Amino acid sequence: MAAIYSLYIINKSGGLIYYKDYGSSGRMDTNDSLRVASLWHSMHAISQQLSPVSGCAGIELLQADTFDLHCFQSLTGTKFFVVCEPGTQYMETLLKFVYELYTDYVLKNPFYEMEMPIRCELFDINLTQAVQKDRVAFLGR
Amino acid sequence: MAPVAPRSGDAIFANVERVNAELFTLTYGAIVRQLLTDLEEVDEVNKQLDQMGYNIGIRLIDEFLAKSNVSRCVDFRETTDVIAKVGFKMFLGVTASVANWDADGTCCSIILEDNPLVDFVELPDNCQGLYYCNILSGVIRGALEMVSMKTEVTWIRDVLRGDDAFELQVKLLKQVPEEYPYKDDE
């Protein structure tokens, strides 16, 4: 069973509002994760412009030798992306599910300020459960 | 992965957690009452309700998109249709209809036959200027702003003021393009 390395959420202006790494490979310090987030935000925007397909919504999957990067952007501009072992399945479903968790446990928290870093314990707990390997496989069914 | 089909308002409404309708209605009533006590002026209360609705709307839109699986609407007509058929059903359990389109398709009315917010409400004489459900117009305005549509939402008809239905006029002012500014001077 393939593993998830890390998960990022970027707000619509490109700021990293959530970062979590799982396991030892691909671990990054705070500066690096911020850098990845803003790089990805810009690349995503540029890819929309460069794409030969009209109405392109940006990169959805980046495949590299050592990792896959799956990205989901909501219609409101928030981006969710996950870095995982090459060939990991059901990542689109997982990202959709993370979006739902975000709407439930982050946006509905009256003390969460929009566009700011996410510090919500309930979100953390539910996310941890969702990312557990057997749960991801379950989502795919 | 195959795109997931949009879900109907009924299907979502059946699946989300709900609270007792009476609790909801009474809570909203208590809020309006408290605002009237605090702000004294009816106009100020209208403004405050609209602002509260706006704050709800900018957050609620994401839940709507996440749970309904609707994709990008092609035009404003489709947008208002989705609000009336899916949005109202999902969050309030009622369906609304869309009518009174203007010629260029930027202004229409959302008509609510049934409105759970007003189940026990009678407007007293000293509150005649109050738009009791003004929070709803704020919600729609806030939600649409997050998907780059600037709108103006106003009440045309209000059962509490003696009309036969609730009618909200939604007017599209500006569609903000989602592209990033590429020039330095923008």
Side-chain angles (χ1 to χ4, degrees):
Chain A
M1 185 71 203
I4 293 166
Y5 298 150
S6 50
L7 180 108
Y8 298 73
I9 303 177
I10 334 182
N11 67 16
K12 60 163 76 95
S13 24
L16 180 66
I17 55 171
Y18 192 81
Y19 168 68
K20 182 108 186 153
D21 61 30
Y22 302 93
S24 49
S25 30
R27 191 181 286 263
M28 270 184 286
D29 65 24
T30 320
N31 279 333
D32 284 339
S33 59
L34 285 167
R35 211 167 289 140
V36 169
S38 48
L39 259 175
W40 183 255
H41 180 72
S42 326
M43 294 228 316
H44 196 270
I46 295 169
S47 74
Q48 281 177 355
Q49 295 291 310
L50 287 181
S51 166
V53 188
S54 77
C56 168
I59 312 175
E60 284 170 6
L61 169 62
L62 174 82
Q63 288 180 302
D65 290 342
T66 50
F67 67 90
D68 279 3
L69 190 158
H70 293 262
C71 178
F72 166 73
Q73 178 172 242
S74 75
L75 289 177
T76 50
T78 311
K79 276 189 270 295
F80 300 79
F81 68 92
V82 67
V83 181
C84 58
E85 209 176 310
T88 313
Q89 282 186 303
Y90 311 125
M91 287 299 110
E92 291 85 357
T93 328
L94 174 76
L95 288 172
K96 273 292 313 222
F97 189 69
V98 174
Y99 183 34
E100 277 187 44
L101 291 179
Y102 167 76
T103 64
D104 277 342
Y105 297 104
V106 179
L107 294 180
K108 283 186 199 168
N109 179 347
F111 296 104
Y112 170 71
E113 281 187 59
M114 298 281 285
E115 316 291 326
M116 296 304 277
I118 299 167
R119 287 193 193 85
C120 306
E121 203 182 332
L122 278 174
F123 179 66
D124 281 328
I125 295 169
N126 283 280
L127 188 64
T128 309
Q129 282 176 1
V131 169
Q132 280 168 3
K133 290 170 190 165
D134 45 342
R135 280 282 305 183
V136 174
F138 175 74
L139 284 172
R141 266 176 224 153
Chain B
M1 191 180 70
V4 195
R7 298 167 69 193
S8 74
D10 290 294
I12 309 163
F13 187 66
N15 278 326
V16 290
E17 267 188 70
R18 275 158 289 165
V19 294
N20 181 293
E22 209 160 296
L23 173 69
F24 172 68
T25 309
L26 296 178
T27 308
Y28 183 69
I31 291 173
V32 177
R33 201 56 228 275
Q34 188 62 43
L35 285 174
L36 278 166
T37 315
D38 291 349
L39 299 169
E40 290 163 7
E41 296 283 331
V42 168
D43 286 343
E44 284 302 310
V45 176
N46 286 338
K47 231 183 268 173
Q48 190 63 33
L49 283 173
D50 182 75
Q51 183 59 39
M52 287 164 67
Y54 176 84
N55 291 339
I56 295 174
I58 57 176
R59 291 168 180 243
L60 179 121
I61 179 72
D62 271 306
E63 178 176 17
F64 174 73
L65 294 171
K67 298 200 174 150
S68 67
N69 290 325
V70 295
S71 46
R72 196 175 292 271
C73 293
V74 289
D75 57 9
F76 191 55
R77 270 173 197 273
E78 193 185 344
T79 309
T80 48
D81 226 44
V82 168
I83 294 173
K85 301 276 146 48
V86 189
F88 272 94
K89 184 74 205 179
M90 174 172 167
F91 291 110
L92 283 182
V94 296
T95 25
S97 52
V98 183
N100 303 342
W101 277 102
D102 70 346
D104 46 353
T106 56
C107 184
C108 70
S109 291
I110 295 180
I111 298 164
L112 274 174
E113 304 284 342
D114 185 22
N115 181 350
L117 286 178
V118 299
D119 279 351
F120 315 108
V121 182
E122 291 168 34
L123 276 193
D125 289 340
N126 59 347
C127 293
Q128 288 304 314
L130 179 71
Y131 288 107
Y132 186 82
C133 303
N134 220 25
I135 202 159
L136 295 182
S137 52
V139 170
I140 296 179
R141 185 169 65 88
L144 287 179
E145 189 170 311
M146 294 309 274
V147 282
S148 31
M149 278 174 263
K150 285 263 184 207
T151 49
E152 190 180 81
V153 186
T154 42
W155 288 99
I156 303 280
R157 283 190 287 164
D158 187 333
V159 173
L160 296 181
R161 296 170 164 218
D163 299 316
D164 52 347
F166 288 93
E167 178 173 346
L168 268 169
Q169 188 183 62
V170 187
K171 192 172 181 184
L172 179 67
L173 301 176
K174 197 166 108 186
Q175 206 141 7
V176 191
E178 280 173 61
E179 279 142 35
Y180 298 88
Y182 286 102
K183 291 178 198 140
D184 286 337
D185 55 337
E186 265 177 59

